[in-house]
Amino acid sequence: MLGNLGNPLKIAVIGSGPSGFYAAEALLKANIDVRVDMFDRLPTPYGLVRGGVAPDHQKIKSVIMVYDKVAALPAFRFFGNVKLGQDIQVDDLSKFYHMIVYAVGNETDRKLGISGEDIHGSYSATSFVGWYNSHPDYRNEQFDLSCERVAVVGIGNVAMDVTRILAEDPEKLATTDIAGYALDALRKSKVKEIYLLGRRGPAQAAFSPAEIHEIGELENADLVLDPKEAELDEVSKGEVLDINAKKNVEYLREHALKGEGSKSKKVRLRLCVSPVEILGKDGKITAVKLEKNKLVRDQKGSIAALGTGVFETISVDMVFRSVGYRGVPIAGVPFDQKSGRIPNVEGRVTDIQTKQPILGHYVVGWAKRGPSGLIGTNRADSQATVKNMLADIASVSETPLIPSSSKDVAPWLKDKDVQFVSFQDWKSLDKIELERGKANGKIREKFSRVSDMLSSVNQETPVL
Ligand code: NAP
């Protein structure tokens, strides 16, 4: 039977972020004979832990040690710089693997859908985060930080990261793994006022208590909010708040009483306001028009923001949308346009028409449930999908797609001239990054161009 000693279950995991590694971990810990090949479109592993977590949150990145332990297991291989839908297709994978796990995350951002969103100076938080984290996709982005006033739309933890990076003393980032070019730009930054715009009230804020505390404790910036906006509205007063919401409400109420403060920069948190238009002149942003909201209970019983018809305009030169991420479709993989996710039932990918599970195809992480939760949330989520994969082994082994054990993806990729990067190769890049960082007094100086990564990979190293 498939999975018994000598008859290994072969699995392809697409994506090497937290959800991919936790799926690999759960599979490799299962009591079966299994081989896991992990693919990533970048030569580097770790997904958002490398390209998303803020440089001043190094402790969060220590989770990489767990992933490295998984990668060190003999039944695990990494194939970096291999893009599904481009270098290899789903049909090709099906020749080599019994099961495919999509751990592809959410690679784009949600739009606001308001007028002016495309004016120069309106950016997605995702691009700014990728830029300061040396992500090759965003390496060539240009952010004009010579302006003084910025609006950040949305008050989730990504908005907190963006705000902190803009408001923090750049010297505090100087020893981290922030991109060198981003540090240079931040050192020259003139930004001194950041409007954080939340469409609902303090009890519905998406930031974690620790994240808003960090904003409140910034050395160079005061967190300022109107005590009236920090108060609970009538609808929220009737709610039983969870522990985080309670902490946020209390913190904001107390903090609002501190007033303007005397620090050189201001983070102005506004609540119950929605941007309705981004205004510009001569192709540049000049202001954001906001509508005051009141909170109402919607048909599902959730607390929603409803415009009141009362408007105001705040002058800003730059806008960051930080209203959540969204998946992008991959050729050959079902995709639900409405939710931006891979359709699934408890991790089993389903056909978009029939809604029936497609045997052998699974999904984990944000691609499965949407962009929510912290890194650790993905462990239980991936384990749940793996449980279903293990339950499906008997059915998979009966399908005609059983690959011949002599076939392997590595020579196939070589034949196609795909320059894949093994985990050992990545470790040689890792070493170079650490050495370059040391020379600059930093934790790490990341590569930010795929071409540089590939040319630096020691080609003499045995790849597998
Ligand atoms: P998020 O937590 O979902 O926050 C999105 C924010 O955008 C919410 O405030 C939301 O308001 C607002 N929003 C959505 N649509 C809007 C619209 N049309 N107009 C105005 N506001 C709108 O998303 P995120 O910040 O991108 O974070 C994604 C996940 O990563 C979260 O689970 C987060 O905790 C996690 N993360 C964690 C860390 C960390 O631990 N340090 C760092 C970064 C990210 P509503 O609530 O009203 O919808």
Side-chain angles (χ1 to χ4, degrees):
M1 147 112 174
L2 196 58
N4 284 350
L5 202 59
N7 189 13
L9 176 70
K10 294 182 175 176
I11 293 176
V13 176
I14 314 300
S16 66
S19 66
F21 266 107
Y22 290 130
E25 179 190 48
L27 286 160
L28 291 162
K29 278 188 177 169
N31 201 14
I32 53 168
D33 189 355
V34 63
R35 306 277 186 275
V36 175
D37 285 351
M38 181 178 275
F39 295 82
D40 201 292
R41 69 183 178 90
L42 291 180
T44 52
Y46 315 131
L48 278 182
V49 177
R50 179 179 164 95
V53 174
D56 57 344
H57 278 178
Q58 289 298 319
K59 258 194 199 159
I60 297 181
K61 299 191 195 206
S62 59
V63 71
I64 281 173
M65 286 191 285
V66 176
Y67 308 155
D68 281 358
K69 273 191 187 158
V70 174
L73 294 170
F76 176 96
R77 296 187 301 181
F78 177 69
F79 292 89
N81 198 40
V82 182
K83 186 170 180 177
L84 180 61
Q86 184 179 298
D87 301 313
I88 194 163
Q89 306 299 328
V90 173
D91 285 350
D92 301 321
L93 286 177
S94 298
K95 292 178 196 143
F96 301 112
Y97 302 98
H98 302 103
M99 293 178 174
I100 305 170
V101 186
Y102 303 104
V104 291
N106 286 176
E107 294 211 68
T108 190
D109 64 302
R110 288 195 196 128
K111 297 275 186 298
L112 286 165
I114 60 172
S115 156
E117 199 167 356
D118 297 322
I119 301 178
H120 181 71
S122 160
Y123 304 104
S124 70
T126 2
S127 61
F128 188 61
V129 169
W131 174 75
Y132 64 63
N133 274 328
S134 309
H135 193 298
D137 287 1
Y138 305 102
R139 200 252 171 267
N140 294 325
E141 294 282 339
Q142 302 277 336
F143 299 97
D144 181 5
L145 301 178
S146 65
C147 66
E148 292 194 352
R149 284 188 285 191
V150 177
V152 179
V153 185
I155 53 170
N157 286 333
V158 170
M160 298 303 114
D161 286 347
V162 167
T163 301
R164 237 180 27 259
I165 298 298
L166 287 171
E168 195 148 53
D169 176 358
E171 297 321 312
K172 284 209 162 20
L173 301 167
T175 57
T176 69
D177 58 355
I178 191 169
Y181 56 80
L183 182 62
D184 290 345
L186 288 165
R187 279 180 165 143
K188 292 181 202 136
S189 166
K190 298 270 187 294
V191 173
K192 57 179 189 192
E193 212 159 10
I194 300 155
Y195 288 90
L196 259 173
L197 305 175
R199 64 177 169 180
R200 297 190 289 163
Q204 294 80 31
F207 46 65
S208 310
E211 310 296 315
I212 191 67
H213 273 247
E214 268 189 273
I215 300 285
E217 306 307 317
L218 286 170
E219 209 172 294
N220 288 351
D222 292 300
L223 171 62
V224 184
L225 78 155
D226 182 339
K228 278 191 249 118
E229 289 191 359
E231 286 306 321
L232 286 186
D233 64 293
E234 288 308 314
V235 183
S236 305
K237 273 183 193 162
E239 281 282 283
V240 180
L241 302 184
D242 69 26
I243 178 89
N244 282 348
K246 260 191 204 156
K247 283 185 182 170
N248 284 343
V249 169
E250 275 165 31
Y251 183 75
L252 292 180
R253 193 182 284 148
E254 276 172 26
H255 208 91
L257 301 175
K258 295 190 175 172
E260 277 285 302
S262 55
K263 295 174 187 168
S264 57
K265 296 180 189 173
K266 305 289 168 197
V267 176
R268 299 192 183 280
L269 175 62
R270 296 293 315 273
L271 295 170
C272 284
V273 290
S274 281
V276 289
E277 189 178 355
I278 297 174
L279 305 164
K281 199 177 168 203
D282 303 330
K284 284 186 174 169
I285 291 180
T286 54
V288 179
K289 186 175 173 186
L290 302 176
E291 183 173 16
K292 183 82 190 149
N293 294 328
K294 66 174 181 181
L295 299 184
V296 294
R297 210 166 275 285
D298 65 13
Q299 285 174 339
K300 288 183 195 154
S302 309
I303 295 181
L306 185 71
T308 59
V310 177
F311 299 95
E312 66 178 294
T313 300
I314 53 168
S315 301
V316 292
D317 314 291
M318 187 152 63
V319 175
F320 289 104
R321 295 185 303 273
S322 186
V323 294
Y325 289 74
R326 200 187 141 76
V328 291
I330 298 173
V333 184
F335 185 73
D336 178 6
Q337 284 293 351
K338 200 166 162 234
S339 66
R341 300 198 289 258
I342 295 178
N344 71 93
V345 176
E346 291 169 8
R348 290 183 172 104
V349 176
T350 53
D351 183 275
I352 207 86
Q353 270 19 49
T354 66
K355 303 202 181 334
Q356 292 306 304
I358 306 171
L359 191 62
H361 295 252
Y362 304 87
V363 60
V364 290
W366 282 6
K368 170 186 175 186
R369 67 175 194 277
S372 65
L374 306 180
I375 290 171
T377 313
N378 292 298
R379 191 173 222 158
D381 175 285
S382 292
Q383 285 169 349
T385 294
V386 167
K387 199 169 161 220
N388 286 334
M389 293 171 72
L390 298 177
D392 288 352
I393 292 181
S395 315
V396 169
S397 62
E398 285 158 17
T399 68
L401 287 178
I402 301 170
S404 131
S405 56
S406 62
K407 280 193 194 144
D408 188 74
V409 77
W412 186 93
L413 287 169
K414 278 188 180 164
D415 274 358
K416 303 257 171 207
D417 281 335
V418 179
Q419 191 188 342
F420 57 85
V421 168
S422 70
F423 209 76
Q424 208 177 336
D425 293 334
W426 149 243
K427 280 292 170 192
S428 69
L429 292 178
D430 182 40
K431 198 162 159 252
I432 298 171
E433 287 189 346
L434 291 171
E435 280 165 1
R436 292 194 323 183
K438 204 171 169 194
N440 293 332
K442 293 176 71 181
I443 293 171
R444 165 187 303 274
E445 193 69 70
K446 287 181 194 164
F447 286 97
S448 59
R449 295 185 206 277
V450 169
S451 54
D452 291 344
M453 297 178 198
L454 296 182
S455 56
S456 296
V457 165
N458 180 357
Q459 296 303 316
E460 300 309 310
T461 311
V463 169
L464 291 166

